[in-house]
Amino acid sequence: MHKVPGRRGRNRKKRQNSMDELKGRIERITYSNEENGYTVAKIAVKNRRDLVTVVGAIPSPQPGQELYLQGEWTNHPRFGEQFQAKHCTTSAPATATGIRKFLASGLIKGVGPVMAGRIVDTFGEDTLRILDEEPERLAEVEGIGRKRVEMISQGWREQQEIREVMLFLQDHGVSTTYATKIFKTYGKQAIRIVQDNPYRLATDIWGIGFLTADRIAAKFGFEKDSPPRVRAGVLHVLDELAEEGHVYYPRSDLGKRCREMLEVGEELVDQGLAELQGERRVVVEPLADFGGEGEAVSLKQLHRGEAGVAEKLAEMLRAPKSIRKVDTDKALEWVQRTYSLQLTSRQAEAVRRSLTDKVLVITGGPGTGKSFLLSAILRVMGRLGASINLAAPTGRAAKRMTELTGWEAKTIHRLLEFDPGQGGFKKDAAHPLSCDLLVVDETSMVDTRLMYHLLQALKLDTTLVLVGDENQLPSVGPGNVLKDIIGSGTVPVVELNEIFRQARESSIVVGAHLVNQGKLPELTPRRDKLDDFFFVQEDDPQNAVERIKHLVVERIPKRFRLDPISEVQVLAPMNKGAAGVANLNLELQQALNPEGREVSRGGKVFRSGDKVMQLRNNYYKEVFNGDIGRVVSLDSETQEVKIRFDDGDAVYEQSELDELVPAYCVSIHKSQGSDFPAVVLPLLTQHYVMLQRNLIYTAITRGKQLVVLVGSTKALSIAVKSRGSHRRFTLLAERLKAETAGRGTVASP
């Protein structure tokens, strides 16, 4: 190992050479970014008592690996002395200690820290050779049966099979995780495919974005102006825009964004766009058709989705109902008398319109009686013998819908019976849902793609009732479906705006409505009762973090008798910063669940009992983006983790853990469709770019029993005064108007 020089020695050497050198063994990984390889690691260096902190790009970091680094020593104001790596070379571990850490890192299924220790204790520095040449000798290790021997042998053989690919990709800056995914996708053809067109990685493999693919492509000699790069870049920008919520984007603005990112001229971008249009991967249409100027550019599937939603809704509005006609006044009188209900005039209107109209939107804020009204509609429809389906975008929303109405509700994905093997839904136009009435709750969360698939699975004579709050945040996915349907003026809409007397007793409900009106909520708690809405003044971000920890860990559980993990949820406006999602998760995990059996992945640690969130739709596991669950068990040897979600359990292998993040704190966007007994909301001026009225309104309405705001009145004031979210480019309202023009569609009352 290279001897670490003293400070004077380093300075002398620095003057002689451009970079310092360092050799050592990875002891633990503090942080690792799969996208760019940036790593913070602790390494053991010969003749140095303390571990050395290394920061920089380290390809495929694993504990136990030997590193040869070139770079420079720096002194971080907070973390102290660090080695900033500029160049890095890794090799397989040579010592027994290094091999033990290497095998314990989760590289091989069936080998965790304990089993790694037993194997290395048996074979010492000869372990890697044994695995290569004599794997049957693993049976000599205490506690390894025949089945486990085969599992480990298979795991090691798989590693051998991909070693060539892994080494090849590692030389081109690809992490272990991504290299494994590339091999699983392309098999032995991986090297050829990556060499021919590395930009395929960005579209074929989840988690590998354009930037990573572009970095790989550059090492293969792809020039900035190469056609495959330009086409991939345009698709990447359109994907980014879809993630921002846009269904289309103005061509002129799209071109500018592409040119800036790709660093190429207008002609090349236009050529790439024309080629993609010819391949039917994008759609370009004149905005003059919708009363605008210029051209709209959409990804093919988003264009199909939006146009399909408009077309199907228009067809349903024109079609007859399968539910028999009745005297609406008599139906209203019956449901109120039978169930001792007292409906408001607007609620009564909604019941009537559900009986007469094909498509109906019911919208309103908290405490306005949406669930109460829905129960009345369901009872009337049930009396008429109608077959009924209830659906919601998330498992939590579906569960809540069931609890409030007494009727079984499913997630939209379960209702449509997604088939992972076929990559689509079993319920579609050819195999529609068999129901007279479909009610969808939390419709503001439903994006364009999902609404398209849902409508395709409906018969034309089905009655559709969409329930939601148009003032909530729009869907995480592209589109603004509920707001656009309401704004089109083509679908009957009943707005509930009267807050029920019982709801008016809740400071949460009152506060949410004040925020929605652009007014500051009452921040002084009432003394006559235990209030449900509090504001804790704290301008300093770090102090705010400590306040939040105290509230979650001690104050709220003690005063309100709530479980700090399952019943208290921290919601943050943004990911970064001291009071952002990432840091608050680290702080709260350490405070609430600091010890126990654990599995690590990419710098994230998962322990038994942890609250976690799914980051992407995984149809095979029937777990979807935003679902929250609890770690109920983990196996340190197999590195498998079992998560309990609302809809059942799901088992994750170590390589799949990048789909999960801790969920002690989640973003407000990710909280849509869920509610929690208690919500804690940091609001600081450092969140400035995200401080918008609908964001805070959404956060407040997630709390059922308690909402606590922690931060500054200035930040709250900024949020309340900011009218709204960034504009989303959609054409659903215009398409609906065009589809229904002159065809006698019922207008919004």
Side-chain angles (χ1 to χ4, degrees):
M1 296 287 180
H2 184 82
K3 185 177 179 179
V4 180
R7 193 176 297 277
R8 291 183 180 177
R10 288 202 300 271
N11 290 339
R12 217 171 21 251
K13 185 169 183 176
K14 187 85 175 214
R15 287 192 295 269
Q16 296 170 355
N17 304 304
S18 58
M19 286 187 282
D20 291 322
E21 298 177 347
L22 186 68
K23 291 182 180 178
R25 181 185 67 241
I26 297 179
E27 290 294 314
R28 66 175 182 268
I29 298 166
T30 305
Y31 173 80
S32 180
N33 186 312
E34 297 286 358
E35 181 72 12
N36 57 23
Y38 180 83
T39 301
V40 180
K42 298 285 187 178
I43 70 169
V45 177
K46 190 176 180 181
N47 297 328
R48 182 158 177 139
R49 184 180 64 183
D50 298 329
L51 297 177
V52 175
T53 299
V54 172
V55 297
I58 300 175
S60 313
Q62 296 286 347
Q65 280 181 323
E66 304 288 345
L67 300 181
Y68 170 70
L69 305 165
Q70 293 179 299
E72 61 182 6
W73 292 92
T74 60
N75 203 337
H76 192 280
R78 182 177 174 186
F79 301 110
E81 191 175 56
Q82 299 177 340
F83 190 83
Q84 189 80 40
K86 304 296 184 184
H87 300 288
C88 174
T89 303
T90 64
S91 60
T95 66
T97 301
I99 294 170
R100 186 191 306 264
K101 287 185 175 291
F102 184 66
L103 293 180
S105 65
L107 198 66
I108 306 169
K109 186 177 181 179
V111 179
V114 175
M115 188 56 66
R118 291 176 185 172
I119 295 172
V120 176
D121 286 345
T122 304
F123 301 117
E125 294 181 5
D126 202 30
T127 297
L128 298 184
R129 187 194 67 78
I130 295 291
L131 288 167
D132 276 335
E133 302 174 8
E134 302 175 86
E136 66 279 359
R137 288 186 61 189
L138 289 170
E140 300 173 20
V141 179
E142 180 187 355
I144 295 187
R146 187 170 61 185
K147 195 172 180 180
R148 180 64 68 84
V149 168
E150 182 53 38
M151 181 191 292
I152 296 172
S153 299
Q154 177 66 25
W156 187 253
R157 283 197 301 273
E158 289 175 358
Q159 291 298 316
Q160 285 182 306
E161 288 175 3
I162 68 171
R163 191 167 296 174
E164 180 185 353
V165 175
M166 297 284 277
L167 290 172
F168 171 82
L169 294 172
Q170 181 175 301
D171 287 342
H172 292 84
V174 183
S175 71
T176 301
T177 299
Y178 289 162
T180 303
K181 290 181 178 181
I182 291 169
F183 184 82
K184 285 183 177 178
T185 303
Y186 302 134
K188 295 179 180 180
Q189 303 300 312
I191 292 176
R192 180 187 61 78
I193 289 172
V194 174
Q195 284 178 322
D196 289 347
N197 184 9
Y199 295 102
R200 283 185 58 179
L201 300 174
T203 54
D204 292 351
I205 302 172
W206 183 82
I208 298 183
F210 172 81
L211 297 179
T212 296
D214 196 36
R215 189 170 62 248
I216 296 169
K219 295 191 175 186
F220 286 119
F222 281 76
E223 301 292 338
K224 284 187 177 182
D225 60 356
S226 66
R229 179 177 185 266
V230 175
R231 288 195 301 272
V234 173
L235 290 175
H236 168 67
V237 172
L238 284 169
D239 281 332
E240 279 191 326
L241 292 166
E243 289 180 6
E244 294 173 15
H246 304 293
V247 173
Y248 81 93
Y249 211 63
R251 178 166 181 160
S252 57
D253 296 334
L254 174 69
K256 181 181 178 183
R257 192 156 166 170
C258 290
R259 292 194 299 273
E260 289 175 352
M261 188 204 71
L262 294 168
E263 299 179 337
V264 299
E266 183 177 357
E267 185 178 341
L268 284 172
V269 172
D270 287 343
Q271 181 183 333
L273 189 57
E275 290 171 357
L276 290 169
Q277 196 177 356
E279 296 169 4
R280 297 188 177 182
R281 300 178 75 178
V282 302
V283 176
V284 181
E285 54 189 337
L287 283 169
D289 293 348
F290 307 99
E293 297 180 353
E295 291 181 311
V297 183
S298 320
L299 291 168
K300 174 70 176 182
Q301 60 174 342
L302 286 181
H303 177 270
R304 183 188 66 177
E306 189 176 73
V309 168
E311 183 180 350
K312 187 60 179 281
L313 282 174
E315 289 178 349
M316 291 181 68
L317 286 165
R318 295 192 296 269
K321 291 169 73 75
S322 61
I323 301 169
R324 63 186 175 90
K325 292 182 179 180
V326 295
D327 187 316
T328 57
D329 289 334
K330 288 183 177 180
L332 272 170
E333 191 274 332
W334 172 83
V335 75
Q336 292 185 100
R337 183 186 69 250
T338 306
Y339 295 98
S340 300
L341 303 178
Q342 187 60 49
L343 300 174
T344 68
S345 60
R346 287 182 180 261
Q347 289 176 327
E349 176 67 8
V351 174
R352 286 193 182 92
R353 303 211 72 149
S354 71
L355 293 167
T356 58
D357 294 312
K358 284 298 307 304
V359 183
L360 174 68
V361 173
I362 299 171
T363 185
T368 57
K370 293 193 298 293
S371 298
F372 180 75
L373 165 61
L374 187 54
S375 295
I377 291 174
L378 293 175
R379 284 163 171 163
V380 171
M381 293 294 188
R383 176 70 174 176
L384 294 173
S387 56
I388 301 169
N389 279 330
L390 305 186
T394 67
R396 286 201 168 205
K399 184 178 180 181
R400 186 180 61 186
M401 198 179 185
T402 299
E403 292 168 350
L404 292 173
T405 66
W407 294 67
E408 183 189 7
K410 297 179 179 179
T411 64
I412 295 174
H413 287 89
R414 280 186 178 273
L415 183 68
L416 298 181
E417 299 177 20
F418 187 84
D419 183 1
Q422 298 297 319
F425 295 100
K426 291 182 180 179
K427 296 297 183 181
D428 54 21
H431 308 89
L433 293 165
S434 181
C435 63
D436 299 308
L437 170 68
L438 173 65
V439 181
V440 182
D441 199 12
E442 296 283 358
T443 309
S444 63
M445 291 184 64
V446 182
D447 64 24
T448 300
R449 296 188 186 100
L450 190 56
M451 182 59 77
Y452 169 77
H453 288 295
L454 180 62
L455 293 179
Q456 289 302 302
L458 291 185
K459 297 177 180 178
L460 288 178
D461 61 0
T462 299
T463 296
L464 176 64
V465 177
L466 303 174
V467 184
D469 184 350
E470 64 172 317
N471 295 309
Q472 297 275 357
L473 287 169
S475 57
V476 174
N480 204 348
V481 174
L482 180 63
K483 201 172 187 72
D484 284 351
I485 290 174
I486 294 172
S488 72
T490 62
V491 174
V493 178
V494 175
E495 181 182 2
L496 306 178
N497 53 17
E498 181 181 342
I499 305 175
F500 278 51
R501 182 180 60 81
Q502 186 177 356
R504 289 198 298 271
E505 294 297 311
S506 167
S507 296
I508 296 174
V509 172
V510 174
H513 282 276
L514 286 170
V515 167
N516 193 41
Q517 295 164 17
K519 301 174 183 177
L520 282 173
E522 178 59 53
L523 302 180
T524 305
R526 292 178 291 187
R527 299 184 181 275
D528 58 334
K529 66 183 222 29
L530 187 61
D531 211 351
D532 57 6
F533 188 90
F534 296 91
F535 182 86
V536 178
Q537 180 72 36
E538 184 53 72
D539 296 334
D540 181 75
Q542 199 55 54
N543 290 343
V545 171
E546 296 303 317
R547 289 282 195 106
I548 290 168
K549 285 165 58 177
H550 178 68
L551 283 163
V552 174
V553 179
E554 298 180 30
R555 187 80 182 271
I556 292 174
K558 183 178 179 179
R559 189 173 184 188
F560 293 88
R561 299 182 179 179
L562 296 173
D563 181 80
I565 296 179
S566 62
E567 296 181 304
V568 183
Q569 184 62 60
V570 181
L571 305 178
M574 62 191 299
N575 191 60
K576 298 179 180 179
V581 173
N583 186 58
L584 280 170
N585 265 319
L586 291 172
E587 295 278 357
L588 289 167
Q589 184 187 42
Q590 187 59 33
L592 291 167
N593 197 26
E595 299 177 344
R597 300 177 69 182
E598 63 182 44
V599 172
S600 60
R601 175 73 170 175
K604 294 179 293 189
V605 174
F606 300 95
R607 300 189 182 101
S608 186
D610 271 341
K611 182 162 58 173
V612 297
M613 173 179 279
Q614 179 76 10
L615 290 178
R616 62 178 289 244
N617 290 341
N618 189 319
Y619 298 105
Y620 288 94
K621 299 185 191 296
E622 294 190 39
V623 182
F624 305 103
N625 186 6
D627 283 356
I628 293 177
R630 291 286 294 275
V631 178
V632 292
S633 67
L634 51 84
D635 191 321
S636 301
E637 295 305 308
T638 63
Q639 302 286 287
E640 289 183 342
V641 179
K642 181 187 285 186
I643 313 294
R644 181 153 296 158
F645 295 97
D646 288 329
D647 283 340
D649 295 350
V651 176
Y652 292 74
E653 295 183 5
Q654 206 243 9
S655 62
E656 298 174 313
L657 292 178
D658 55 349
E659 296 183 16
L660 298 170
V661 290
Y664 296 97
C665 176
V666 303
S667 71
I668 297 170
H669 281 87
K670 290 285 191 181
S671 73
Q672 290 173 265
S674 300
D675 57 24
F676 312 94
V679 164
V680 179
L681 174 63
L683 276 180
L684 297 155
T685 52
Q686 67 173 195
H687 300 145
Y688 181 84
V689 294
M690 297 299 294
L691 294 179
Q692 296 169 355
R693 188 185 301 172
N694 62 347
L695 191 82
I696 308 308
Y697 173 74
T698 299
I700 293 172
T701 57
R702 299 307 91 194
K704 293 192 295 184
Q705 299 170 229
L706 177 68
V707 172
V708 184
L709 278 56
V710 180
S712 70
T713 52
K714 182 179 179 182
L716 178 60
S717 180
I718 291 170
V720 169
K721 291 177 182 177
S722 177
R723 284 197 60 110
S725 59
H726 301 292
R727 179 189 173 185
R728 291 191 170 194
F729 287 104
T730 67
L731 289 170
L732 179 57
E734 288 77 10
R735 295 187 195 278
L736 267 169
K737 290 176 185 176
E739 288 285 346
T740 58
R743 295 174 179 173
T745 307
V746 178
S748 174

